[in-house]
Amino acid sequence: MQCSICHKSDRPMYCSHCMSSSPRLLLKLKIDLLVLRETNSHLKSRVEDILEYGLSQIAGKELESKSANVEGDILGRRLQKLDSLILRKKNNRVRYRISQLNNRIYEKKCKVKDLHSELQLPSKIALNEEKLKSTRENQELTISEGRQQLMQIRKVLLRSQLSKIRSLVEWFVIRKRESYEFPYTLAFQPIISLRNVYKLPSSVVWGSISTMSRYLKLFAEILFFTLPHGELVAPYAPELELEMSAKTTGENSNDENTIVDHLTKIFINIVQISRHLNLISKDPIDLAWMLDQNDLDTLFYNMTMRLETKSKPVFYHWTYPQILSIVSEALQLSSVYATSPVSRQTLTGTKTSNNDRWYVVR
């Protein structure tokens, strides 16, 4: 084929007839292709023969043709070597697995052996339980010994307290007399009664209050008990008559309030000590009812002689103003005594005749 401009040939062009018939073009290529196909078929049959021979050697079979086949021998040897390597790898893998199982079996044997040895010896739990049991027994023994010692100390302390209380009763000469108005005496003085206190001169009232307060303080010290109200201070007795005669009505009323306050505090101290000695119930009780049934002197005497006092339970607690009101009612300062000048003069001690004076009572 030529160019239309330079008229030079770029590549040759042939017609279909020339291509099919000319020996210089496609015929030679066809012949070469046929030869190549024949050669490939021959090589294929040769390779198949070599593979069959090599595989037969691996399998241990004998072929009918006994012609020498060098390539087949080489392939057979190499295939045998490959099989041996595969078998060796597989054997190594199996051997490693067997070693692992042997190690696990050995560990389990060791564990079983240890468990058998632990079963033969006392277990740690049993040892701990025995140790705890022995410790508990020692603690219980120590506690029991401590309780016994405490009981002995308590008995000794109780005997000592009872001895001191008897000595205190003898020291203060607490007596019960055959008298309706003042049946009890303390240190040769009448223990004041809320109903009959107006019958006593002030010096005797204050002396009785002071002695009762001193006794309560010593009694509480013996019992190791803290009183709600400490020892009460009373006026000096010899100067009391002169002071009372010089005071006005308003000042006398203040003294009456002071007496009520002191008697209220003594009443509270007596109730608390009686509760401490289990002579009165520790639950809330009706103090008004108890004071109506047992006057202040009777409560004081029962406390000193450790006699039980009947009480009536209530559902509320008392306050100091309420107790003060109860004592005031018992003294009748707000009603009877306030309207009776004679009684007020007797209570405040303005009567100075010898008939109103108290002497030593036997």
Side-chain angles (χ1 to χ4, degrees), residues 35 81 94 105 116 148 213 256 281 298:
V35 173
K81 187 175 181 181
V94 173
I105 292 171
H116 281 296
Q148 292 179 358
S213 178
E256 291 172 359
S281 175
T298 305

Short mmCIF file of all heavy atoms in Angstrom, two decimals, residues 35 81 94 105 116 148 213 256 281 298:
data_model
loop_
_atom_site.label_atom_id
_atom_site.label_comp_id
_atom_site.label_asym_id
_atom_site.label_seq_id
_atom_site.Cartn_x
_atom_site.Cartn_y
_atom_site.Cartn_z
N VAL A 35 3.15 -28.75 12.93
CA VAL A 35 4.33 -29.41 13.54
C VAL A 35 4.37 -29.14 15.04
O VAL A 35 4.67 -30.02 15.87
CB VAL A 35 5.62 -28.91 12.84
CG1 VAL A 35 6.86 -29.43 13.58
CG2 VAL A 35 5.67 -29.37 11.38
N LYS A 81 10.47 -38.30 48.45
CA LYS A 81 11.06 -37.41 49.44
C LYS A 81 10.02 -36.41 49.97
O LYS A 81 9.96 -36.12 51.18
CB LYS A 81 12.23 -36.67 48.82
CG LYS A 81 13.03 -35.84 49.81
CD LYS A 81 14.26 -35.24 49.13
CE LYS A 81 15.08 -34.43 50.14
NZ LYS A 81 16.28 -33.82 49.49
N VAL A 94 1.93 -34.44 65.57
CA VAL A 94 1.31 -35.40 66.48
C VAL A 94 2.15 -35.60 67.73
O VAL A 94 1.64 -35.70 68.86
CB VAL A 94 1.08 -36.74 65.74
CG1 VAL A 94 0.60 -37.81 66.72
CG2 VAL A 94 0.08 -36.58 64.61
N ILE A 105 -1.43 -34.43 81.66
CA ILE A 105 -1.67 -35.61 82.51
C ILE A 105 -0.77 -35.59 83.73
O ILE A 105 -1.20 -35.89 84.86
CB ILE A 105 -1.48 -36.91 81.68
CG1 ILE A 105 -2.58 -37.02 80.63
CG2 ILE A 105 -1.50 -38.13 82.59
CD1 ILE A 105 -2.35 -38.13 79.63
N HIS A 116 -4.65 -35.70 97.63
CA HIS A 116 -4.61 -36.85 98.53
C HIS A 116 -3.81 -36.53 99.79
O HIS A 116 -4.21 -36.90 100.90
CB HIS A 116 -3.99 -38.06 97.81
CG HIS A 116 -4.95 -38.76 96.89
ND1 HIS A 116 -6.09 -39.41 97.34
CD2 HIS A 116 -4.94 -38.91 95.55
CE1 HIS A 116 -6.74 -39.94 96.32
NE2 HIS A 116 -6.06 -39.65 95.21
N GLN A 148 -16.79 -12.91 137.10
CA GLN A 148 -16.70 -13.36 138.48
C GLN A 148 -15.98 -12.34 139.35
O GLN A 148 -16.43 -12.03 140.47
CB GLN A 148 -15.98 -14.71 138.54
CG GLN A 148 -16.77 -15.86 137.91
CD GLN A 148 -16.02 -17.17 137.95
OE1 GLN A 148 -14.87 -17.21 138.42
NE2 GLN A 148 -16.64 -18.23 137.48
N SER A 213 -30.56 18.01 153.27
CA SER A 213 -29.72 18.22 152.09
C SER A 213 -28.32 17.67 152.29
O SER A 213 -27.74 17.05 151.40
CB SER A 213 -29.66 19.71 151.77
OG SER A 213 -28.83 19.95 150.65
N GLU A 256 -40.87 32.38 151.83
CA GLU A 256 -41.73 31.22 151.60
C GLU A 256 -41.45 30.60 150.23
O GLU A 256 -41.41 29.37 150.09
CB GLU A 256 -43.19 31.65 151.71
CG GLU A 256 -43.62 32.03 153.11
CD GLU A 256 -45.00 32.64 153.14
OE1 GLU A 256 -45.59 32.75 152.04
OE2 GLU A 256 -45.49 32.98 154.23
N SER A 281 -40.24 2.97 140.62
CA SER A 281 -40.13 2.62 139.21
C SER A 281 -39.38 3.70 138.44
O SER A 281 -39.56 4.90 138.68
CB SER A 281 -41.52 2.42 138.61
OG SER A 281 -41.45 2.21 137.22
N THR A 298 -42.11 10.77 154.80
CA THR A 298 -42.21 9.33 154.56
C THR A 298 -41.32 8.89 153.40
O THR A 298 -40.66 7.84 153.47
CB THR A 298 -43.66 8.95 154.27
OG1 THR A 298 -44.50 9.41 155.33
CG2 THR A 298 -43.83 7.45 154.12
#
